[in-house]
Amino acid sequence: MTINILFSAGGDKWATYEAPLRAALTSKGLNHTLAPDAGPPERVDYIVYAPDSTLQDFAPYRNCKAVLNLWAGVEEIVGNPTLTQPLTRMVDTGLTHGMVEWVTGHVLRHHLGLDRYVGATGGWHDLRVVPPLAKDRPLTILGLGALGAAVAEALVGLGFPITGWSRSPKTLNNVRCLAGDDGLREALSTAEILVLLLPETPDTTNLLNAERLSWLRPGAVVINPGRGPLIDDEALLAALDEGQVGHATLDVFRVEPLPDDHAFWSHPRVTVTPHIASETRPGTACDIIVENILRSENGQPLLHLVDRSAGY
């Protein structure tokens, strides 16, 4: 039997993914067709998908067994009323390692106060501030999914005391795990460095508003590689101006690319990076896609299946 796979993603992704995806399918002995035009919709068995695709009506794909998302985020597609097929999100080792490295780098940057020394040309005694050890720098992670858990593990390994928060209770080794509204206040109130790794859902939009920013320790650092809408931009700017937040390092935004006239670009206490904290790597991503096709064909549960009711 031949498995018919539609590749539906915008930009130059077909050129990027064709070779590694074909190689991964072939290595598992799967007879397949793979193309951006897979013929009549009723013949399609699987759709490898990115939300920037022109495909937005899934109703004709009535025999499709799964839509396999290339991105970790599914907020742009999960609410599509025509999407009744099982939907998976991307969780791959390349994406996870990239996020761990980016977050760890910026946590250490702020923990060690490295900005103080960048471009310095003198003033030995003014510059000489000895940072605390990691064990004396409480850090909070909002979001304990695959990425949050991996980041927590890495930072625990460096000696940071980690508090994690999630909507539903979780358990992680050497991490104080909190959940729910009461847990959120406690998690924020202990944070000198806060990392946001939550998905974007109606419940998490503007989660970090003026009131919740006031719960942080004065001068806390906010690091957001998760989703732009997690933070109320105006509330964050006000907290930065007041000194309640000491610095914000932001990789994701409500509008991307971030407009040239946005206040984040010019604010002295904001660092902007252009959505580079983590990226799906074709090699490892294709292995995950093929693994899910194999599982589906063998009647096994799909990996990283999206919970439509939760939105991720």
Side-chain angles (χ1 to χ4, degrees):
M1 183 184 72
T2 298
I3 300 169
N4 196 20
I5 304 167
L6 171 65
F7 187 93
S8 186
D12 60 355
K13 295 183 184 66
W14 172 242
T16 301
Y17 278 89
E18 180 185 8
L21 188 49
R22 287 193 189 282
L25 289 161
T26 301
S27 72
K28 297 298 183 181
L30 293 172
N31 293 323
H32 65 277
T33 62
L34 171 68
D37 180 1
E42 63 271 16
R43 293 185 56 246
V44 171
D45 296 305
Y46 299 94
I47 302 174
V48 177
Y49 188 78
D52 61 355
S53 166
T54 57
L55 171 57
Q56 297 298 315
D57 182 4
F58 293 89
Y61 298 89
R62 56 182 182 272
N63 296 317
C64 178
K65 301 172 187 177
V67 176
L68 309 168
N69 202 47
L70 286 171
W71 298 354
V74 295
E75 64 273 4
E76 295 182 30
I77 188 61
V78 69
N80 187 321
T82 71
L83 179 61
T84 58
Q85 299 86 346
L87 173 67
T88 66
R89 59 190 177 87
M90 179 53 63
V91 177
D92 82 289
T93 55
L95 189 152
T96 300
H97 289 166
M99 182 64 77
V100 169
E101 291 173 12
W102 188 94
V103 172
T104 301
H106 284 283
V107 165
L108 288 174
R109 166 197 166 199
H110 292 297
H111 167 61
L112 297 173
L114 297 182
D115 288 3
R116 169 187 297 271
Y117 309 107
V118 176
T121 58
W124 175 279
H125 295 290
D126 293 334
L127 289 171
R128 196 172 188 279
V129 176
V130 178
L133 295 175
K135 70 180 182 65
D136 298 317
R137 180 83 74 187
L139 192 151
T140 290
I141 300 171
L142 301 188
L144 295 176
L147 294 177
V151 167
E153 181 181 9
L155 293 173
V156 164
L158 291 173
F160 290 98
I162 305 295
T163 296
W165 180 88
S166 54
R167 288 178 57 198
S168 56
K170 297 265 176 70
T171 301
L172 294 175
N173 290 336
N174 302 310
V175 176
R176 184 175 68 136
C177 295
L178 303 174
D181 292 341
D182 292 341
L184 179 59
R185 180 159 194 159
E186 184 175 351
L188 291 175
S189 68
T190 65
E192 290 187 12
I193 299 176
L194 173 68
V195 179
L196 303 180
L197 283 169
L198 289 162
E200 180 187 342
T201 70
D203 290 334
T204 62
T205 298
N206 290 329
L207 182 78
L208 213 60
N209 56 21
E211 179 183 5
R212 294 184 180 120
L213 286 166
S214 73
W215 297 347
L216 293 168
R217 292 191 179 186
V221 169
V222 174
I223 299 175
N224 185 17
R227 290 290 179 264
L230 299 177
I231 302 177
D232 180 328
D233 289 0
E234 295 305 317
L236 177 59
L237 287 165
L240 286 161
D241 289 340
E242 295 162 2
Q244 172 60 17
V245 173
H247 197 98
T249 294
L250 310 173
D251 185 61
V252 287
F253 308 92
R254 291 175 181 273
V255 177
E256 295 186 5
L258 185 67
D260 290 344
D261 61 352
H262 198 288
F264 285 155
W265 284 113
S266 58
H267 199 288
R269 293 183 177 179
V270 174
T271 300
V272 170
T273 64
H275 205 144
I276 57 167
S278 192
E279 184 78 10
T280 303
R281 267 64 175 185
T284 51
C286 290
D287 290 339
I288 295 297
I289 290 167
V290 173
E291 174 66 18
N292 257 339
I293 291 174
L294 274 172
R295 293 177 71 89
S296 176
E297 292 297 301
N298 291 327
Q300 297 175 299
L302 292 167
L303 300 172
H304 319 306
L305 189 64
V306 171
D307 180 349
R308 308 293 178 87
S309 63
Y312 60 93

